[in-house]
Amino acid sequence: MIPFLDLGAATAELQSEIEAAVLGVVRSGRYILGPEVEAFEGEYARYVGAAHAVGVGNGLDALVLGLQALGVGPGDEVIVPSNTYIATWLAITAVGAVVVPVEPDPDSWLIDVSQVERAITSRTRVLLPVHLYGHPCDMESIGQLAARHGLRVLDDAAQAHGATVGSRRVGAVADVTAWSFYPSKNLGALGDAGTVTTNDPALAERIRLLRNYGSRVKYENEVRGTNSRLDPIQAAVLRVKLAHLDEWNSRRAAQARRYTEGLAGISGLVLPVEPTWGASAWHVYAVRVSDRDRVQRALRDAGVETLVHYPIAAHLQPAYRDHGWKPGAFPVSEAIHREVLSLPLGPQLPLASVDVVIERLRKVLG
């Protein structure tokens, strides 16, 4: 079986470095925040080119805290893609705001900027684009649109570690950027972890306050915060992996090129397109194919593991049934969710295995 992603192999490649880093934290006696978290925050901020990084517990918390720092609350509207993982929507409703979905561009599968402008109302506070599958959104156009309407931009970069927009990395081009370091991400911890990056010192300080019970001084609470602090052990692991992120991303890009070349010209198979305005981090290589479920079963029987990102559109999830959206409300997104299939991809996947996947998928599609 060719695995979709081999996390064990990723850890094994860096095992001695990771074990030494973790042991260093164990021996330090500092288990909440402290120098290891501060070191990672500085290194990650420099990596993305932002002035500040604030480590938090996970990617969902990064989104929630980002929205709270921007002052978003009940009744405010946040424009978000209809084609995304549900966590993006959950963050909006967690702060009491209103989800305003817009369809993705049919070619890039990312948020359609022209539809974003049509969705803006007097209650819109934030634009929340998602760099889905590792492909960067058109942040220049989104930033210009936000500036014209006096809005803020919070981008969801949970899948875009190392992606670029023009000459800048994702993480330094919006007011706030939310990151997840879930183990399967391009930069993954050994458990849940996240961070927020920003160039605004006031926003960074607000997020630091909110993540730690609303407290700067122990037992003195200025606001109603939460407990969402990046764990020092996870910070130590992330520091090790960060040094290898560009190399690992280059392997992903080589695999993506191999897929694109090897799968070209197959009838009924739609391949991903890297945006012209930036470089993808290639978090997943997601294709679209009719009769997706049959194709996935056939590949599994042929020894190829695939995943679906994601089988159910957010507006059709039971969690949002009370919003009243019915099938057909967002047809472009719904078509993507019916057809999308993610092929094996990852830094430890040999190119020879990519060739096997290509051969077997071509046979399945016959």
Side-chain angles (χ1 to χ4, degrees):
M1 176 68 72
I2 296 175
F4 174 76
L5 178 65
D6 191 344
L7 292 178
T11 301
E13 183 175 332
L14 305 177
Q15 185 162 341
S16 60
E17 293 178 70
I18 290 173
E19 288 178 351
V22 170
L23 184 59
V25 175
V26 172
R27 289 174 171 169
S28 73
R30 296 293 300 275
Y31 306 134
I32 299 292
L33 296 177
E36 199 70 43
V37 173
E38 292 171 6
F40 172 72
E41 289 172 336
E43 290 165 10
Y44 197 67
R46 287 190 291 275
Y47 176 80
V48 302
H52 307 276
V54 183
V56 298
N58 55 68
L60 177 56
D61 284 356
L63 288 165
V64 171
L65 293 172
L67 289 169
Q68 290 177 328
L70 291 170
V72 176
D76 294 331
E77 293 180 351
V78 178
I79 296 176
V80 69
S82 54
N83 179 37
T84 184
Y85 182 53
I86 197 172
T88 319
W89 287 34
L90 292 173
I92 298 168
T93 50
V95 300
V98 179
V99 175
V100 180
V102 301
E103 288 274 57
D105 175 83
D107 297 321
S108 71
W109 314 343
L110 302 172
I111 195 166
D112 187 331
V113 181
S114 66
Q115 294 208 36
V116 171
E117 184 153 30
R118 291 197 291 270
I120 293 172
T121 73
S122 61
R123 297 201 306 169
T124 306
R125 291 289 302 280
V126 168
L127 308 183
L128 207 172
V130 180
H131 307 291
L132 198 63
Y133 315 127
H135 307 321
C137 296
D138 184 359
M139 295 303 291
E140 181 176 354
S141 297
I142 290 170
Q144 292 171 352
L145 178 61
R148 286 201 304 272
H149 292 271
L151 304 174
R152 309 300 292 273
V153 179
L154 163 62
D155 54 340
D156 182 340
Q159 301 181 3
H161 312 81
T164 60
V165 178
S167 61
R168 303 173 70 189
R169 289 195 196 273
V170 168
V173 294
D175 293 297
V176 181
T177 301
W179 301 89
S180 168
F181 301 124
Y182 186 78
S184 63
K185 305 301 186 186
N186 291 41
L187 180 60
L190 298 185
D192 275 320
T195 200
V196 179
T197 55
T198 181
N199 288 316
D200 187 325
L203 288 175
E205 185 59 24
R206 182 70 175 174
I207 294 165
R208 288 191 189 97
L209 187 66
L210 290 169
R211 74 173 176 183
N212 189 41
Y213 298 103
S215 174
R216 276 181 256 257
V217 178
K218 194 168 185 178
Y219 303 133
E220 186 176 309
N221 305 84
E222 301 173 35
V223 298
R224 297 173 186 173
T226 189
N227 176 9
S228 182
R229 303 172 295 210
L230 177 61
D231 185 274
I233 288 179
Q234 301 301 347
V237 172
L238 290 167
R239 291 184 69 195
V240 170
K241 290 189 173 184
L242 180 58
H244 300 269
L245 179 57
D246 285 343
E247 165 60 24
W248 283 14
N249 278 349
S250 71
R251 298 181 200 174
R252 288 174 177 270
Q255 294 161 19
R257 288 193 297 270
R258 192 73 145 247
Y259 275 132
T260 298
E261 294 166 0
L263 296 173
I266 300 178
S267 178
L269 182 68
V270 181
L271 303 181
V273 178
E274 190 167 29
T276 58
W277 51 75
S280 177
W282 292 107
H283 175 59
V284 297
Y285 191 90
V287 302
R288 290 178 62 180
V289 59
S290 58
D291 200 12
R292 187 264 317 283
D293 294 343
R294 179 195 68 82
V295 172
Q296 185 177 36
R297 287 193 301 270
L299 284 173
R300 182 190 61 213
D301 293 343
V304 176
E305 182 185 25
T306 59
L307 290 182
V308 175
H309 295 87
Y310 300 95
I312 304 173
H315 69 282
L316 298 179
Q317 291 279 6
Y320 287 98
R321 187 174 291 136
D322 61 332
H323 284 58
W325 289 301
K326 304 294 183 184
F330 299 99
V332 177
S333 182
E334 290 170 33
I336 292 171
H337 286 262
R338 283 194 304 269
E339 298 174 355
V340 71
L341 184 67
S342 298
L343 304 180
L345 189 92
Q348 287 69 43
L349 183 70
L351 284 175
S353 294
V354 174
D355 292 335
V356 172
V357 175
I358 292 169
E359 175 190 357
R360 293 177 184 175
L361 181 54
R362 280 189 164 275
K363 185 175 180 180
V364 167
L365 295 175

